[in-house]
Structure formats: structure tokens, C-alpha cells
Amino acid sequence: MGRGTPYLSIVAVTRNDDHGGDSLGRLQVFVNGIAEQSHLYGLTSELILVEWNPPQDRPRLAEAVQWPNEQGCCDVRIIEVPGRVHQRFKYAQALPLFQMAGKIVGIRRAKGTYVLCTNIDILFSEQLIRFLASGRLREGRYYRVNRHDVLAQLEVLKKHEDRSAYCREHTIRICSRNAV
């Protein structure tokens, strides 16, 4: 990494197989959001995408995703876990992707002072990114935030401000510590 140690490593696991429906579209929105927000708020970060058991008949993520021209404060690394490693896992024939094992792979290779594990269909609020960029995280702490589920129309929204406004206006459920 050319910028030194990132403050935050963001780890997500995926593969180019359309799991969950339009996985590449969701990944593109996720990547764009992380890169743009890191730049806007000065969050020195790295995005670690663990490409688990990539299908042989599909392009790898490095070729399938349109990487932002200006990643600003966010470096991106793709770590591939090949099919031969996947096959060592119990139930490998039934499940093509092991999210938690992939996140462990990413965590172990993270260079950041702090690590945030997430999924590719998550967007972060401005408040959260501002907090992360403020440098106020403390060792030995576990942080959590409420998740706001929104209607999935974000792929057509290119600008960060538009995505944020859409999310605020189209919340369908809030998952908090005490209620879903």
C-alpha cells in the first residue's frame, strides 16, 4: 500500500455467480460508495474483497467490476480463495460460498488498525463514515450500529447524495439491538 497503514480495513466476501440476485450490481454500488465516502470524509481505508471459490465460467471480480477512477483514500485488494481450498470444507458441494470463512481470510490479511466486516449489499450512512474518519475508535471495543433496510433501487443512483437521500426516504425496516 502506497499510503502507509490504513486506519480501517473493510472486509467483504463475494463471487461472480449472481448469488442473491444481481450480485455484480450490488457490488458495484458498494465499491463506489466506499471509495466515494472514503474520499469525501478523508477515511484512510482499504477495501478487501475476498473472492471465494470463483466460478471458472465467469470473469474474476478484477475484470467484472468498474473500479472508480479516483479511489482517493481507499485502496482495494482482492484476495482469491480458489475452488481447491473451498473443496476442503464440509458441505462444499452444497454451498458455493462460505461467508464467515471468507471474512476470516480477509481479517487475517487486513492491514488496517481497525477492521469492519460487512456484506456487499450494505451502504454506510454519512454519520457512520464521519465517525470512523474522526479517528475516535478505541482498542478493545466492539462497535455496532442499527441497520436500515431499504427498497433495492440503488443501482440507478450514481451520486452519493442521491443514494443517501433515497435510503433515508425508503427505509422499510430498522434492525436494532432490541427490535427488528
Side-chain angles (χ1 to χ4, degrees), residues 59-99:
R60 296 294 199 269
L61 296 179
E63 296 111 30
V65 173
Q66 294 177 343
W67 302 102
N69 292 334
E70 188 62 41
Q71 294 174 335
C73 300
C74 183
D75 288 330
V76 178
R77 289 192 292 143
I78 299 174
I79 299 168
E80 182 178 312
V81 177
R84 64 179 157 56
V85 173
H86 172 78
Q87 291 305 317
R88 296 180 193 161
F89 285 76
K90 188 175 181 179
Y91 305 115
Q93 298 305 316
L95 297 170
L97 180 113
F98 290 103
Q99 282 279 345

Side-chain angles (χ1 to χ4, degrees), residues 15-27:
R15 56 186 256 135
N16 185 7
D17 70 348
D18 208 31
H19 66 279
D22 192 26
S23 63
L24 279 180
R26 290 181 290 126
L27 177 60

Side-chain angles (χ1 to χ4, degrees), residues 10-14 19 23 26-27 29-31 34 47-49 97-100 103 116-124 147:
I10 302 165
V11 177
V13 182
T14 191
H19 66 279
S23 63
R26 290 181 290 126
L27 177 60
V29 170
F30 175 73
V31 167
I34 296 288
L47 173 58
I48 300 173
L49 292 173
L97 180 113
F98 290 103
Q99 282 279 345
M100 298 314 293
K103 287 179 180 170
L116 185 156
C117 290
T118 189
N119 295 330
I120 64 164
D121 54 0
I122 301 291
L123 293 176
F124 302 123
R147 186 184 82 218

Side-chain angles (χ1 to χ4, degrees), residues 18-160:
D18 208 31
H19 66 279
D22 192 26
S23 63
L24 279 180
R26 290 181 290 126
L27 177 60
Q28 189 68 62
V29 170
F30 175 73
V31 167
N32 292 352
I34 296 288
E36 188 174 2
Q37 287 181 307
S38 292
H39 177 73
L40 281 172
Y41 298 104
L43 176 61
T44 306
S45 60
E46 69 172 341
L47 173 58
I48 300 173
L49 292 173
V50 178
E51 186 169 10
W52 187 274
N53 184 28
Q56 297 304 306
D57 62 338
R58 301 265 182 117
R60 296 294 199 269
L61 296 179
E63 296 111 30
V65 173
Q66 294 177 343
W67 302 102
N69 292 334
E70 188 62 41
Q71 294 174 335
C73 300
C74 183
D75 288 330
V76 178
R77 289 192 292 143
I78 299 174
I79 299 168
E80 182 178 312
V81 177
R84 64 179 157 56
V85 173
H86 172 78
Q87 291 305 317
R88 296 180 193 161
F89 285 76
K90 188 175 181 179
Y91 305 115
Q93 298 305 316
L95 297 170
L97 180 113
F98 290 103
Q99 282 279 345
M100 298 314 293
K103 287 179 180 170
I104 293 168
V105 168
I107 291 167
R108 293 186 64 153
R109 287 156 181 82
K111 296 178 182 177
T113 304
Y114 298 97
V115 176
L116 185 156
C117 290
T118 189
N119 295 330
I120 64 164
D121 54 0
I122 301 291
L123 293 176
F124 302 123
S125 70
E126 296 165 16
Q127 297 86 348
L128 176 60
I129 296 296
R130 264 194 238 109
F131 174 76
L132 294 170
S134 74
R136 296 185 316 207
L137 293 176
R138 294 175 41 197
E139 286 188 34
R141 301 290 172 121
Y142 176 83
Y143 295 88
R144 66 162 307 282
V145 296
N146 293 340
R147 186 184 82 218
H148 294 234
D149 292 346
V150 299
L151 296 170
Q153 300 297 322
L154 293 170
E155 62 276 357
V156 298
L157 302 172
K158 302 294 183 200
K159 290 181 158 184
H160 167 70

